[in-house]
Amino acid sequence: MIGKIIKGIGGFYYVHCHSNDIYECKAKGIFRKNNIKPLIGDNVEIAILDEGEKLGNIDVILPRSNQLVRPTVSNIDQAVIVFAVSRPEPNYNLLDRFLVMIEEKGIEAIICFNKIDILDQEQVDAIIAKYENTGYHVYTTSSIEGHGIENLREALYNKTTVFAGPSGVGKSSILNLIQTDQVLETGIVSEKIGRGKHTTRHAELMCFHEDSYVVDTPGFSSLGIEHIDEAELKLYFKEFAVYEPYCKFKGCNHLNEPKCGVKEAVQDGDISESRYESYKQLIDELRDTRRW
Ligand SMILES: Nc1nc2c(ncn2[C@@H]2O[C@H](COP(=O)(O)OP(=O)(O)O)[C@@H](O)[C@H]2O)c(=O)[nH]1
Ligand SMILES: [Mg+2]
Ligand SMILES: [Zn+2]
């Protein structure tokens, strides 16, 4: 039988199968001998030892499409980067840093601005505008009022999605809603859910719909980018590529070069200033770390 590892505790792996049953499995000694550790997210073939007790053995780990380090999860299809529109104020540099990291891993990214109940529509629009021409889908939600949750949930169907973002922005609250079957567009969210009690320690995949899994991450404290090449960074600001053909110099890094298509696009308002600022700040940071 084929299934997906959703949780690992003390040498046991919990494998979620199409039947919707979860089997408690051990990994065969051969994995340990070959130094292969099953990961959350792995698609595996299991042999059932006891159908009644739901016990099994992991026989085969199917090839992984990718692997994240924090949290350690494999076969991620996409990431939702969650920021609050307020409380805490969005830190766009940090948001762009998340996007860079995810682009670098070749994973699709979605942006979600939560807590829209705190601001009025105009203020929210001004925030979204910064990502308008980036090619990223931007979702707006309020996990307190239930707004936008259903739209977001539909974007997660048939995929394994990691939720990332700073702590306190509402990741766990959103995930709690995504897992409850009827999301209330009108705002009656139970106390327990609304308060976001759930704290995140171990990575665990949660199946909320057929073939649809989500995983929460503890708030990231730091996001190292120092392994990225200075000349490579621009590749991870996807929207720059459209304007690069208008740069006079081949291999233009869009910094001090004259006749730069990207800088012109920023001036014309086609590339968001805050995105370009993030780019320059990250370049400075890369140069500083190289110097040290
Ligand atoms: N006003 C408002 N507060 C929210 C919303 N979503 C979450 N919160 C609150 O923000 C705090 C942090 O939420 P939590 O889900 O734990 O954030 P996490 O650290 O990203 O997982 C909690 O006090 C939540 O009640 C929202 O949409 N609107
Ligand atoms: Mg949380
Ligand atoms: Zn340029």
Side-chain angles (χ1 to χ4, degrees):
M1 186 139 51
I2 303 276
K4 195 178 201 50
I5 301 179
I6 56 168
K7 184 165 73 166
I9 297 175
F12 288 102
Y13 298 95
Y14 295 83
V15 177
H16 181 251
C17 293
H18 264 242
S19 54
N20 226 359
D21 289 323
I22 294 168
Y23 292 85
E24 185 181 85
C25 297
K26 289 214 138 193
K28 297 206 312 186
I30 189 161
F31 295 127
R32 219 165 309 134
K33 236 169 46 201
N34 298 337
N35 212 5
I36 300 171
K37 199 174 146 42
L39 296 181
I40 291 156
D42 278 348
N43 297 312
V44 294
E45 232 177 270
I46 64 168
I48 292 166
L49 297 179
D50 186 326
E51 183 55 54
E53 298 283 320
K54 303 281 177 235
L55 300 177
N57 259 341
I58 297 176
D59 283 342
V60 179
I61 299 175
L62 302 180
R64 293 170 183 155
S65 62
N66 57 34
Q67 188 176 325
L68 292 186
V69 181
R70 261 192 323 159
T72 318
V73 184
S74 68
N75 300 318
I76 295 294
D77 297 306
Q78 64 181 6
V80 176
I81 313 300
V82 184
F83 272 71
V85 294
S86 184
R87 294 185 223 155
E89 292 299 300
N91 174 339
Y92 299 107
N93 181 277
L94 185 61
L95 201 171
D96 292 331
R97 193 182 276 261
F98 270 106
L99 292 171
V100 164
M101 307 247 320
I102 286 158
E103 286 299 327
E104 194 212 1
K105 296 208 155 50
I107 296 171
E108 293 282 319
I110 287 175
I111 300 168
C112 172
F113 284 112
N114 187 40
K115 307 201 187 186
I116 57 167
D117 54 281
I118 299 177
L119 300 185
D120 58 40
Q121 188 63 45
E122 257 169 56
Q123 294 170 303
V124 173
D125 288 344
I127 291 171
I128 301 169
K130 297 183 194 294
Y131 289 87
E132 208 174 332
N133 297 320
T134 55
Y136 293 110
H137 280 289
V138 179
Y139 290 82
T140 53
T141 54
S142 163
S143 51
I144 294 264
E145 295 182 342
H147 290 301
I149 300 291
E150 198 51 47
N151 278 342
L152 179 62
R153 173 212 271 261
E154 276 166 25
L156 312 180
Y157 281 160
N158 299 309
K159 294 191 164 121
T160 297
T161 305
V162 58
F163 273 62
S167 59
V169 296
K171 294 182 299 298
S172 300
S173 308
I174 293 170
L175 282 168
N176 280 336
L177 289 180
I178 282 180
Q179 287 165 77
T180 41
D181 257 346
Q182 356 79 324
V183 174
L184 317 157
E185 279 295 334
T186 47
I188 317 144
V189 173
S190 89
E191 283 287 292
K192 190 167 142 262
I193 292 166
R195 292 266 165 78
K197 286 263 161 55
H198 170 142
T199 53
T200 319
R201 292 220 178 70
H202 305 284
E204 178 177 347
L205 281 187
M206 284 163 296
C207 181
F208 68 94
H209 187 260
E210 213 184 317
D211 281 324
S212 311
Y213 297 88
V214 287
V215 56
D216 199 352
T217 64
F220 287 76
S221 47
S222 70
L223 291 175
I225 55 154
E226 57 283 345
H227 59 286
I228 294 176
D229 253 12
E230 204 182 298
E232 192 190 340
L233 186 65
K234 61 184 171 197
L235 303 177
Y236 306 129
F237 283 76
K238 282 195 304 191
E239 71 272 34
F240 290 7
V242 180
Y243 303 97
E244 190 151 340
Y246 303 100
C247 296
K248 182 167 178 205
F249 295 101
K250 209 171 177 299
C252 181
N253 284 326
H254 323 310
L255 296 165
N256 298 317
E257 297 92 338
K259 299 239 160 72
C260 167
V262 168
K263 280 194 286 183
E264 277 163 24
V266 175
Q267 256 150 36
D268 294 345
D270 294 326
I271 287 177
S272 133
E273 250 172 71
S274 99
R275 290 275 291 165
Y276 184 64
E277 276 308 309
S278 292
Y279 173 69
K280 284 199 300 187
Q281 281 169 18
L282 293 180
I283 288 277
D284 282 345
E285 195 183 310
L286 288 178
R287 287 181 178 170
D288 280 349
T289 46
R290 295 280 186 282
R291 203 170 302 134
W292 290 104

